[in-house]
Coordinates of all heavy atoms in Angstrom, one line a residue:
M1 N 0.8 -1.2 0.0 CA 0.0 0.0 0.0 C 0.9 1.3 0.0 O 1.8 1.4 0.8 CB -0.9 0.0 1.2 CG -2.1 1.0 1.2 SD -3.3 0.7 -0.2 CE -4.1 -0.7 0.6
K2 N 0.5 2.1 -0.9 CA 1.3 3.4 -1.1 C 0.4 4.6 -1.0 O -0.7 4.6 -1.5 CB 2.0 3.4 -2.4 CG 3.4 3.9 -2.4 CD 4.1 3.7 -3.7 CE 5.4 4.4 -3.8 NZ 6.1 4.4 -5.1
C3 N 0.9 5.6 -0.3 CA 0.1 6.8 -0.1 C 0.0 7.6 -1.5 O 1.1 7.8 -2.1 CB 0.6 7.7 0.9 SG -0.1 9.3 1.0
P4 N -1.2 7.8 -2.0 CA -1.3 8.6 -3.3 C -0.8 10.0 -3.3 O -0.6 10.6 -4.2 CB -2.8 8.5 -3.6 CG -3.4 8.3 -2.4 CD -2.5 7.6 -1.4
K5 N -0.7 10.5 -2.0 CA -0.4 11.9 -1.8 C 1.1 12.1 -1.7 O 1.7 13.0 -2.4 CB -1.1 12.4 -0.5 CG -1.4 14.0 -0.6 CD -2.1 14.4 0.6 CE -2.3 15.9 0.7 NZ -2.9 16.3 1.9
C6 N 1.8 11.4 -0.9 CA 3.2 11.6 -0.7 C 4.1 10.4 -1.1 O 5.3 10.5 -1.1 CB 3.5 12.0 0.8 SG 3.2 10.6 1.9
G7 N 3.4 9.3 -1.4 CA 4.2 8.2 -1.9 C 4.8 7.3 -0.9 O 5.5 6.3 -1.1
S8 N 4.5 7.6 0.4 CA 5.0 6.9 1.5 C 4.4 5.5 1.6 O 3.2 5.3 1.3 CB 4.9 7.7 2.8 OG 5.2 6.8 4.0
T9 N 5.1 4.5 2.0 CA 4.6 3.1 2.2 C 4.2 2.9 3.7 O 3.7 1.8 4.0 CB 5.6 2.0 1.7 OG1 6.9 2.3 2.3 CG2 5.7 2.1 0.2
N10 N 4.4 3.9 4.5 CA 4.1 3.8 5.9 C 2.5 4.0 6.1 O 2.1 5.1 6.5 CB 4.9 4.8 6.8 CG 4.8 4.5 8.2 OD1 4.3 3.5 8.7 ND2 5.2 5.5 9.0
V11 N 1.8 3.1 5.6 CA 0.4 3.2 5.6 C -0.4 2.1 6.4 O 0.0 1.0 6.4 CB -0.2 3.2 4.2 CG1 -1.7 3.2 4.1 CG2 0.4 4.4 3.3
T12 N -1.3 2.6 7.3 CA -2.1 1.5 8.1 C -3.5 1.5 7.6 O -4.0 2.5 7.1 CB -2.1 2.0 9.7 OG1 -2.6 3.3 9.7 CG2 -0.7 1.9 10.3
V13 N -4.0 0.3 7.6 CA -5.3 0.1 7.0 C -6.2 -0.2 8.2 O -6.0 -1.1 9.0 CB -5.4 -1.1 6.0 CG1 -6.8 -1.3 5.5 CG2 -4.4 -0.8 4.9
N14 N -7.3 0.6 8.3 CA -8.3 0.5 9.3 C -9.6 -0.1 8.8 O -10.0 0.4 7.7 CB -8.6 1.8 10.1 CG -7.5 2.2 11.0 OD1 -6.5 1.5 11.2 ND2 -7.7 3.3 11.7
V15 N -10.1 -1.1 9.4 CA -11.4 -1.6 9.0 C -12.4 -1.1 9.9 O -12.4 -1.3 11.1 CB -11.4 -3.2 9.0 CG1 -12.7 -3.7 8.6 CG2 -10.3 -3.7 8.0
I16 N -13.3 -0.3 9.3 CA -14.4 0.3 10.0 C -15.7 -0.4 9.8 O -16.1 -0.6 8.6 CB -14.5 1.9 9.7 CG1 -13.2 2.6 10.1 CG2 -15.7 2.5 10.3 CD1 -13.0 3.9 9.5
Q17 N -16.4 -0.7 10.9 CA -17.7 -1.3 10.7 C -18.7 -0.2 10.8 O -18.8 0.5 11.9 CB -17.9 -2.4 11.7 CG -18.7 -3.6 11.2 CD -18.6 -4.7 12.0 OE1 -18.8 -4.7 13.3 NE2 -18.3 -5.9 11.5
Q18 N -19.6 -0.3 9.9 CA -20.7 0.8 9.9 C -22.0 0.1 9.9 O -22.3 -0.8 9.1 CB -20.5 1.6 8.6 CG -19.6 2.7 8.7 CD -19.7 3.7 7.5 OE1 -20.0 3.2 6.3 NE2 -19.5 5.0 7.6
T19 N -22.9 0.7 10.7 CA -24.3 0.3 10.6 C -25.1 1.6 10.2 O -25.0 2.6 10.8 CB -24.8 -0.2 12.0 OG1 -24.3 0.6 13.0 CG2 -24.4 -1.6 12.3
K20 N -25.7 1.4 9.2 CA -26.4 2.5 8.6 C -27.9 2.6 9.1 O -28.6 1.7 9.0 CB -26.4 2.4 7.0 CG -25.9 3.7 6.4 CD -25.9 3.6 4.9 CE -25.3 4.9 4.3 NZ -25.4 4.9 2.8
L21 N -28.2 3.8 9.7 CA -29.5 4.2 10.1 C -30.0 5.3 9.1 O -29.4 6.4 9.2 CB -29.5 4.6 11.5 CG -29.6 3.4 12.5 CD1 -29.3 3.9 13.9 CD2 -31.0 2.8 12.5
V22 N -31.0 5.0 8.4 CA -31.6 6.0 7.5 C -32.7 6.7 8.3 O -33.7 6.1 8.6 CB -32.0 5.3 6.2 CG1 -32.6 6.4 5.3 CG2 -30.8 4.6 5.6
D23 N -32.5 7.9 8.5 CA -33.4 8.7 9.2 C -33.9 9.9 8.2 O -33.2 10.7 7.8 CB -32.8 9.3 10.5 CG -33.9 9.6 11.5 OD1 -35.1 9.3 11.3 OD2 -33.5 10.4 12.4
K24 N -35.1 9.8 7.9 CA -35.7 10.8 7.0 C -36.3 12.0 7.8 O -37.0 11.8 8.7 CB -36.8 10.1 6.1 CG -36.3 9.7 4.8 CD -37.5 9.3 3.9 CE -37.0 8.8 2.7 NZ -38.2 8.2 1.9
H25 N -35.9 13.2 7.4 CA -36.4 14.4 7.9 C -37.1 15.3 6.9 O -36.5 15.4 5.8 CB -35.3 15.1 8.6 CG -34.9 14.6 10.0 ND1 -35.8 14.5 11.1 CD2 -33.9 13.9 10.4 CE1 -35.1 13.9 12.1 NE2 -34.0 13.5 11.7
H26 N -38.2 15.7 7.2 CA -38.9 16.5 6.3 C -38.9 18.0 6.8 O -38.9 18.3 7.9 CB -40.4 16.0 6.3 CG -40.6 14.7 5.6 ND1 -40.3 14.5 4.3 CD2 -41.0 13.5 6.1 CE1 -40.5 13.1 4.1 NE2 -40.9 12.6 5.2
G27 N -38.8 18.8 5.7 CA -38.8 20.2 6.1 C -40.1 20.8 6.4 O -41.2 20.1 6.2
I28 N -40.2 22.0 6.7 CA -41.4 22.7 7.2 C -42.4 22.8 6.0 O -43.5 22.7 6.1 CB -41.1 24.1 7.8 CG1 -42.4 24.6 8.5 CG2 -40.5 25.1 6.8 CD1 -42.7 24.1 9.9
I29 N -41.8 23.0 4.8 CA -42.7 23.1 3.5 C -43.4 21.9 3.3 O -44.6 21.8 2.9 CB -41.9 23.6 2.3 CG1 -41.3 25.0 2.6 CG2 -42.6 23.6 1.1 CD1 -40.0 25.4 1.9
W30 N -42.7 20.8 3.5 CA -43.3 19.4 3.4 C -44.4 19.3 4.3 O -45.5 18.7 3.9 CB -42.2 18.3 3.6 CG -42.8 17.0 3.3 CD1 -42.8 16.3 2.1 CD2 -43.3 16.1 4.2 NE1 -43.3 15.1 2.2 CE2 -43.7 14.9 3.5 CE3 -43.6 16.2 5.6 CZ2 -44.3 13.8 4.1 CZ3 -44.2 15.0 6.2 CH2 -44.6 13.9 5.5
W31 N -44.2 19.7 5.5 CA -45.3 19.5 6.5 C -46.6 20.4 6.2 O -47.7 19.9 6.3 CB -44.8 19.9 7.9 CG -44.1 18.8 8.6 CD1 -42.7 18.6 8.7 CD2 -44.6 17.5 9.0 NE1 -42.4 17.4 9.3 CE2 -43.6 16.8 9.5 CE3 -46.0 17.1 9.2 CZ2 -43.8 15.5 10.1 CZ3 -46.2 15.8 9.7 CH2 -45.1 15.1 10.2
V32 N -46.3 21.6 5.7 CA -47.4 22.6 5.4 C -48.2 22.0 4.2 O -49.4 21.9 4.1 CB -46.9 23.9 5.2 CG1 -48.0 24.9 4.6 CG2 -46.3 24.5 6.5
C33 N -47.4 21.5 3.2 CA -48.1 21.1 1.9 C -48.7 19.6 2.0 O -49.7 19.4 1.5 CB -47.1 21.2 0.8 SG -46.6 22.9 0.5
I34 N -47.9 18.8 2.4 CA -48.2 17.4 2.4 C -48.4 16.7 3.8 O -49.4 16.0 4.0 CB -47.1 16.5 1.6 CG1 -47.0 17.2 0.2 CG2 -47.6 15.1 1.5 CD1 -45.6 17.0 -0.3
G35 N -47.6 17.0 4.7 CA -47.5 16.3 6.0 C -48.8 16.2 6.8 O -49.2 15.1 7.2
W36 N -49.6 17.3 6.8 CA -50.7 17.4 7.7 C -51.8 16.4 7.2 O -52.6 15.9 8.0 CB -51.3 18.8 7.7 CG -51.7 19.4 6.4 CD1 -50.9 19.9 5.5 CD2 -53.0 19.4 5.9 NE1 -51.7 20.4 4.5 CE2 -53.0 20.0 4.6 CE3 -54.3 18.9 6.4 CZ2 -54.1 20.2 3.8 CZ3 -55.4 19.1 5.6 CH2 -55.3 19.7 4.3
Y37 N -51.9 16.2 5.9 CA -52.9 15.2 5.5 C -52.4 13.9 5.2 O -53.0 12.8 5.2 CB -53.8 15.7 4.4 CG -53.2 16.0 3.1 CD1 -53.0 14.9 2.2 CD2 -52.7 17.2 2.7 CE1 -52.4 15.1 0.9 CE2 -52.1 17.4 1.5 CZ -51.9 16.3 0.6 OH -51.3 16.5 -0.6
W38 N -51.0 13.9 4.7 CA -50.4 12.6 4.3 C -50.2 11.7 5.6 O -50.4 10.4 5.5 CB -49.1 12.9 3.6 CG -48.2 11.7 3.4 CD1 -47.1 11.4 3.9 CD2 -48.6 10.5 2.6 NE1 -46.6 10.2 3.4 CE2 -47.6 9.7 2.7 CE3 -49.8 10.2 1.9 CZ2 -47.6 8.4 2.0 CZ3 -49.8 9.0 1.2 CH2 -48.7 8.0 1.3
I39 N -49.8 12.3 6.7 CA -49.5 11.4 7.8 C -50.7 10.7 8.4 O -50.6 9.5 8.5 CB -48.8 12.3 9.0 CG1 -47.3 12.7 8.5 CG2 -48.8 11.6 10.4 CD1 -46.3 11.6 8.4
P40 N -51.9 11.4 8.5 CA -53.0 10.5 8.9 C -53.4 9.4 7.9 O -53.9 8.3 8.2 CB -54.2 11.5 9.1 CG -53.5 12.8 9.2 CD -52.3 12.7 8.4
I41 N -53.3 9.8 6.6 CA -53.6 8.8 5.6 C -52.7 7.7 5.6 O -53.0 6.5 5.6 CB -53.6 9.5 4.1 CG1 -54.8 10.4 4.0 CG2 -53.7 8.4 3.0 CD1 -54.7 11.5 2.9
K42 N -51.4 8.0 5.7 CA -50.4 7.0 5.8 C -50.5 6.1 7.0 O -50.3 4.9 6.9 CB -49.0 7.8 5.8 CG -47.7 6.9 5.6 CD -46.5 7.7 5.7 CE -45.3 6.9 6.1 NZ -44.1 7.8 6.4
W43 N -50.9 6.7 8.1 CA -51.1 6.1 9.3 C -52.2 5.0 9.2 O -52.1 3.9 9.6 CB -51.4 7.0 10.5 CG -50.9 6.6 11.7 CD1 -49.6 6.8 12.2 CD2 -51.6 5.8 12.7 NE1 -49.5 6.1 13.5 CE2 -50.6 5.6 13.8 CE3 -52.8 5.3 12.8 CZ2 -51.0 4.8 14.9 CZ3 -53.2 4.6 14.0 CH2 -52.3 4.4 15.0
L44 N -53.3 5.6 8.6 CA -54.5 4.7 8.4 C -54.3 3.5 7.5 O -54.7 2.5 7.8 CB -55.6 5.6 7.9 CG -57.0 5.2 8.3 CD1 -57.3 5.4 9.9 CD2 -58.1 6.0 7.5
F45 N -53.6 3.8 6.4 CA -53.5 2.8 5.4 C -52.2 1.9 5.4 O -52.2 0.9 4.9 CB -53.6 3.5 3.9 CG -55.0 3.9 3.7 CD1 -55.4 5.2 3.8 CD2 -56.0 3.0 3.3 CE1 -56.6 5.7 3.5 CE2 -57.3 3.4 3.0 CZ -57.6 4.8 3.1
L46 N -51.2 2.5 6.1 CA -50.0 1.8 6.1 C -49.6 1.2 7.6 O -49.3 0.1 7.8 CB -48.8 2.6 5.6 CG -48.9 3.0 4.1 CD1 -47.8 4.0 3.8 CD2 -48.7 1.8 3.2
T47 N -49.7 2.2 8.5 CA -49.3 1.9 9.9 C -50.3 0.8 10.5 O -49.8 -0.1 11.2 CB -49.2 3.2 10.7 OG1 -48.4 4.1 9.9 CG2 -48.5 2.8 12.0
V48 N -51.5 1.1 10.4 CA -52.6 0.2 11.1 C -52.4 -1.1 10.5 O -52.2 -2.1 11.3 CB -54.0 0.8 11.0 CG1 -55.0 -0.2 11.5 CG2 -54.1 2.1 11.8
P49 N -52.5 -1.4 9.1 CA -52.3 -2.8 8.6 C -50.9 -3.3 9.1 O -50.8 -4.5 9.3 CB -52.4 -2.6 7.1 CG -53.2 -1.3 6.9 CD -52.7 -0.4 8.1
A50 N -49.9 -2.5 9.0 CA -48.5 -2.9 9.5 C -48.5 -3.5 10.9 O -47.8 -4.4 11.2 CB -47.6 -1.9 9.2
L51 N -49.3 -2.7 11.7 CA -49.3 -3.1 13.2 C -50.1 -4.4 13.3 O -49.6 -5.3 14.1 CB -50.0 -2.0 14.0 CG -49.1 -0.9 14.3 CD1 -50.0 0.3 14.9 CD2 -48.0 -1.2 15.4
I52 N -51.1 -4.6 12.5 CA -51.9 -5.8 12.6 C -51.0 -7.0 12.1 O -51.0 -8.0 12.8 CB -53.2 -5.7 11.8 CG1 -54.1 -4.7 12.4 CG2 -53.9 -7.0 11.6 CD1 -55.2 -4.0 11.5
V53 N -50.3 -6.8 11.1 CA -49.4 -7.8 10.5 C -48.3 -8.2 11.5 O -48.0 -9.3 11.8 CB -48.9 -7.3 9.1 CG1 -47.7 -8.2 8.7 CG2 -49.9 -7.3 8.0
K54 N -47.9 -7.1 12.2 CA -46.8 -7.2 13.2 C -47.2 -8.1 14.3 O -46.4 -8.8 14.9 CB -46.3 -5.8 13.6 CG -44.8 -5.8 14.0 CD -44.5 -4.3 14.3 CE -43.1 -4.2 14.8 NZ -42.8 -2.7 15.3
I55 N -48.4 -8.0 14.7 CA -49.0 -8.8 15.8 C -49.0 -10.3 15.5 O -48.6 -11.1 16.3 CB -50.4 -8.2 16.2 CG1 -50.3 -6.7 16.8 CG2 -51.0 -9.2 17.2 CD1 -51.6 -6.1 16.9
F56 N -49.5 -10.5 14.3 CA -49.6 -11.9 13.8 C -48.3 -12.6 13.2 O -48.1 -13.7 13.4 CB -50.8 -12.1 12.9 CG -52.1 -11.7 13.6 CD1 -52.7 -10.5 13.3 CD2 -52.7 -12.7 14.4 CE1 -53.9 -10.2 14.0 CE2 -53.9 -12.3 15.1 CZ -54.5 -11.1 14.8
I57 N -47.6 -11.7 12.5 CA -46.3 -12.3 12.0 C -45.1 -11.6 12.6 O -45.0 -10.4 12.6 CB -46.3 -12.0 10.4 CG1 -47.6 -12.6 9.7 CG2 -45.0 -12.6 9.9 CD1 -47.9 -11.9 8.4
P58 N -44.3 -12.4 13.3 CA -43.1 -11.8 14.0 C -42.2 -11.3 13.0 O -41.9 -11.9 11.9 CB -42.5 -13.0 14.8 CG -43.4 -14.0 14.6 CD -44.4 -13.9 13.5
K59 N -41.8 -10.1 13.2 CA -40.8 -9.4 12.3 C -39.5 -10.0 12.3 O -38.9 -10.1 13.4 CB -40.8 -7.9 12.5 CG -40.4 -7.1 11.4 CD -40.3 -5.7 11.8 CE -39.8 -4.7 10.7 NZ -39.6 -3.4 11.2
R60 N -38.9 -10.3 11.2 CA -37.5 -10.7 11.0 C -36.7 -9.5 10.7 O -36.8 -8.9 9.6 CB -37.4 -11.8 10.0 CG -37.8 -13.2 10.4 CD -37.8 -14.2 9.4 NE -38.8 -13.9 8.3 CZ -38.9 -14.6 7.2 NH1 -38.0 -15.5 7.0 NH2 -39.7 -14.3 6.3
Q61 N -35.9 -9.2 11.6 CA -35.1 -8.0 11.4 C -33.8 -8.2 10.7 O -33.2 -9.2 10.9 CB -34.8 -7.3 12.8 CG -35.8 -6.3 13.2 CD -35.4 -5.5 14.4 OE1 -34.7 -6.0 15.3 NE2 -35.8 -4.2 14.3
K62 N -33.5 -7.4 9.8 CA -32.3 -7.4 9.0 C -31.3 -6.4 9.5 O -31.6 -5.2 9.5 CB -32.6 -7.3 7.6 CG -32.8 -8.5 6.7 CD -32.9 -8.2 5.3 CE -33.2 -9.5 4.6 NZ -33.5 -9.2 3.2
I63 N -30.1 -6.8 9.9 CA -29.2 -5.8 10.3 C -28.1 -5.8 9.2 O -27.5 -6.7 8.8 CB -28.5 -6.3 11.6 CG1 -29.5 -6.4 12.8 CG2 -27.4 -5.2 12.1 CD1 -29.2 -7.3 13.9
K64 N -28.1 -4.6 8.7 CA -27.1 -4.4 7.6 C -25.9 -3.7 8.1 O -25.9 -2.6 8.6 CB -27.8 -3.5 6.5 CG -28.1 -4.3 5.2 CD -28.4 -3.4 4.1 CE -28.6 -4.2 2.8 NZ -29.1 -3.3 1.7
Q65 N -24.8 -4.5 8.0 CA -23.6 -4.0 8.3 C -22.6 -3.9 7.3 O -22.4 -4.8 6.5 CB -22.9 -4.8 9.5 CG -23.5 -4.4 10.9 CD -22.8 -5.0 12.0 OE1 -22.3 -6.2 11.9 NE2 -22.4 -4.2 13.0
K66 N -22.0 -2.8 7.1 CA -21.0 -2.6 6.1 C -19.6 -2.4 6.7 O -19.5 -1.7 7.8 CB -21.4 -1.2 5.4 CG -22.2 -1.5 4.2 CD -22.3 -0.1 3.4 CE -23.2 -0.3 2.2 NZ -23.4 1.1 1.5
T67 N -18.7 -3.0 6.1 CA -17.3 -2.9 6.5 C -16.5 -2.2 5.4 O -16.7 -2.5 4.2 CB -16.7 -4.2 6.8 OG1 -16.9 -5.1 5.7 CG2 -17.1 -4.9 8.1
K68 N -15.9 -1.1 5.8 CA -15.0 -0.4 4.9 C -13.6 -0.2 5.4 O -13.4 -0.1 6.5 CB -15.7 0.9 4.4 CG -15.7 2.0 5.5 CD -16.1 3.3 4.9 CE -16.0 4.4 5.9 NZ -16.4 5.7 5.2
S69 N -12.7 -0.3 4.5 CA -11.4 -0.2 4.8 C -10.8 1.3 4.6 O -11.2 1.8 3.5 CB -10.5 -1.2 4.0 OG -10.9 -2.4 4.3
V70 N -10.3 1.8 5.5 CA -9.8 3.1 5.3 C -8.2 3.1 5.6 O -7.8 2.6 6.6 CB -10.4 4.2 6.4 CG1 -9.8 5.5 6.2 CG2 -11.9 4.3 6.1
C71 N -7.6 3.6 4.6 CA -6.1 3.7 4.7 C -5.7 5.0 5.2 O -6.1 6.1 4.8 CB -5.5 3.4 3.4 SG -6.0 1.8 2.6
I72 N -4.8 5.0 6.1 CA -4.3 6.2 6.7 C -2.7 6.2 6.6 O -2.0 5.4 7.0 CB -4.7 6.4 8.3 CG1 -6.2 6.4 8.4 CG2 -4.1 7.7 8.8 CD1 -6.7 5.9 9.6
C73 N -2.3 7.2 6.0 CA -0.9 7.4 5.8 C -0.2 8.0 7.1 O -0.7 8.9 7.6 CB -0.6 8.4 4.6 SG 1.1 8.8 4.4
Q74 N 0.7 7.3 7.6 CA 1.5 7.6 8.8 C 2.4 8.8 8.6 O 2.8 9.4 9.5 CB 2.1 6.5 9.4 CG 1.2 5.3 9.9 CD 0.2 5.6 10.8 OE1 0.6 6.1 12.0 NE2 -1.1 5.5 10.5
N75 N 2.7 9.0 7.4 CA 3.7 10.1 7.1 C 3.0 11.5 6.9 O 3.6 12.4 7.5 CB 4.4 9.7 5.8 CG 5.7 10.5 5.4 OD1 6.4 10.8 6.4 ND2 5.8 11.0 4.3
C76 N 1.9 11.5 6.1 CA 1.3 12.8 5.9 C 0.0 13.0 6.5 O -0.7 14.0 6.5 CB 1.3 13.3 4.5 SG 0.2 12.3 3.4
G77 N -0.6 11.8 6.9 CA -1.9 11.9 7.6 C -3.0 11.8 6.6 O -4.3 11.9 6.9
H78 N -2.8 11.6 5.3 CA -3.7 11.5 4.3 C -4.5 10.2 4.5 O -4.0 9.2 4.7 CB -3.1 11.6 2.9 CG -4.1 11.5 1.8 ND1 -5.0 12.4 1.5 CD2 -4.3 10.5 0.8 CE1 -5.7 12.0 0.4 NE2 -5.3 10.8 0.0
N79 N -5.8 10.2 4.4 CA -6.6 9.1 4.4 C -7.6 8.9 3.2 O -8.1 9.8 2.7 CB -7.4 8.9 5.7 CG -8.3 10.1 6.0 OD1 -9.5 10.1 5.5 ND2 -7.9 11.0 6.8
W80 N -7.7 7.6 2.9 CA -8.5 7.4 1.7 C -9.2 5.9 1.8 O -8.7 5.2 2.6 CB -7.7 7.5 0.4 CG -6.7 6.4 0.3 CD1 -6.9 5.3 -0.5 CD2 -5.4 6.3 0.8 NE1 -5.7 4.5 -0.4 CE2 -4.8 5.2 0.4 CE3 -4.7 7.2 1.6 CZ2 -3.5 4.8 0.7 CZ3 -3.4 6.9 2.0 CH2 -2.8 5.7 1.5
R81 N -10.2 5.8 1.1 CA -10.9 4.5 1.1 C -10.2 3.4 0.2 O -9.8 3.7 -0.9 CB -12.3 4.6 0.6 CG -13.2 5.2 1.7 CD -14.7 5.2 1.2 NE -15.1 3.8 1.2 CZ -16.5 3.5 1.0 NH1 -17.3 4.5 0.7 NH2 -16.9 2.3 0.9
A82 N -10.0 2.3 0.8 CA -9.2 1.3 0.0 C -10.1 0.7 -1.1 O -11.3 0.5 -0.9 CB -8.9 0.1 1.0
Ligands
LIG1 ZN1 1.1 10.3 2.7

């Protein structure tokens, strides 16, 4: 492994484990235009059946874990994805 910045071979490779949590946030405009009526509709048509399904069918959870390697140059401090 060679640093692309300074050419040093004094590079350490770190394996980072990532768990991705996708969190959606809506802006104020979304709430004014869509949110106030979409949420009850969504709740009624999606959440309620989903809850009923959840009661009868145990949910199988999927844990998505990503591992990525990050190389860090000990010479200049440059880091990049392997
Ligand atoms: Zn370097």
Side-chain angles (χ1 to χ4, degrees):
M1 195 64 76
K2 218 174 173 185
C3 175
K5 208 177 173 185
C6 67
S8 171
T9 48
N10 191 12
V11 173
T12 53
V13 180
N14 282 3
V15 178
I16 295 163
Q17 212 165 53
Q18 275 188 324
T19 40
K20 231 182 181 183
L21 272 170
V22 181
D23 203 13
K24 264 188 184 175
H25 283 288
H26 293 292
I28 192 81
I29 296 153
W30 184 88
W31 278 105
V32 171
C33 297
I34 305 150
W36 64 275
Y37 70 85
W38 171 241
I39 290 297
I41 292 163
K42 194 180 153 188
W43 213 86
L44 209 72
F45 290 99
L46 295 171
T47 312
V48 173
L51 279 170
I52 294 158
V53 167
K54 214 176 170 182
I55 293 160
F56 294 103
I57 304 155
K59 204 182 172 186
R60 279 177 293 173
Q61 270 189 323
K62 266 186 185 175
I63 302 157
K64 250 192 176 176
Q65 271 191 326
K66 265 186 180 177
T67 49
K68 70 170 186 177
S69 300
V70 177
C71 302
I72 300 150
C73 175
Q74 298 299 299
N75 193 45
C76 71
H78 180 67
N79 59 79
W80 69 96
R81 281 187 72 174

